[in-house]
Amino acid sequence: MPKPVAPWRIVPLAKAHDRDSFACGSEPLDRYLQRQARQDAEKRVAAPFVVVEPPSSRVLGYYTLSASLIAVDALPPELAKKLPRYPQLPVTLLGRLAVDQGHRGKGLGEFLLMDALHRSLVAAAEIAAMAVIVDAKDEKAVAFYRRYGFIPLQRQPARLFLSMSTLAGLFS
Ligand SMILES: CC(C)(COP(=O)(O)OP(=O)(O)OC[C@H]1O[C@@H](n2cnc3c(N)ncnc32)[C@H](O)[C@@H]1OP(=O)(O)O)[C@@H](O)C(=O)NCCC(=O)NCCS
């Protein structure tokens, strides 16, 4: 069923965004947005993006992206054998993704995820990354990502990946 189109906008986190009341049910994810995300952006260790409903500056959800590496043997063997034999491979890390509890179930999580994946795909055309990986904080988060085709890495079930070639097909 098509979801109602809300006037959501996803933009880089800025000082003016109101994030004090953000509560996603995970204290570390709330604290990160409120106290750490801006610093990470300034130091360029993560790129935080927030979703707002203009003209309000209140943050309804957010995600972060960073460049990362994974060991080739973390990939399923059938995929690893098709790749060049480098010990490590470049990936984009979707480090965090969260939606405010008062705004759950409206499609915001999916909207944020699709934006993060599309942004990762576009960036990978110029700075290669062969997959997007995510760190799922618990079983519920694993279930959320698996709905979209993410596959757990070998020996690291809380870390999942989606290959960039799958993503390219998805957005073609
Ligand atoms: C996981 C989370 C981002 C989902 O946000 P949301 O805005 O409620 O999700 P959406 O409304 O976009 O749901 C999209 C689809 O995923 C499903 N879904 C949502 N949470 C799910 C979960 N935990 N497991 C499986 N499916 C889930 C929804 O039912 C919906 O499916 P439908 O379109 O068939 O109805 C949100 O619950 C959250 O912020 N949780 C706390 C932080 C967290 O766990 N982050 C994950 C990474 S650490």
Side-chain angles (χ1 to χ4, degrees), residues 1 3 8 22-26 29-30 60-62 94-101 103-113 134-148 158:
M1 240 210 15
K3 295 205 165 115
W8 297 322
F22 184 82
C24 74
S26 160
L29 286 172
D30 296 346
L60 308 180
Y62 78 98
L94 175 57
R96 297 174 176 83
L97 184 151
V99 171
D100 186 86
Q101 274 176 327
H103 295 269
R104 293 274 172 83
K106 300 177 182 177
L108 262 177
E110 180 167 313
F111 187 59
L112 283 166
L113 180 62
V134 294
D135 283 324
K137 71 172 184 60
D138 55 26
E139 280 302 314
K140 280 189 183 167
V142 170
F144 175 73
Y145 289 123
R146 290 200 75 147
R147 284 178 57 94
Y148 298 95

Side-chain angles (χ1 to χ4, degrees), residues 147-165:
R147 284 178 57 94
Y148 298 95
F150 278 85
I151 298 166
L153 288 175
Q154 305 277 308
R155 300 177 297 280
Q156 303 173 67
R159 185 161 255 208
L160 299 96
F161 84 98
L162 191 58
S163 76
M164 212 52 90
S165 52

Side-chain angles (χ1 to χ4, degrees), residues 10-20 33-34 37-39 41-42 47-52 57-59 61-63:
I10 297 179
V11 290
L13 172 65
K15 202 173 176 184
H17 287 126
D18 171 7
R19 50 202 189 276
D20 290 349
L33 176 68
Q34 286 153 2
R38 282 267 306 153
Q39 281 183 48
E42 270 166 28
F49 292 88
V50 297
V51 60
V52 291
S57 64
R58 195 173 159 221
V59 173
Y62 78 98
Y63 68 78

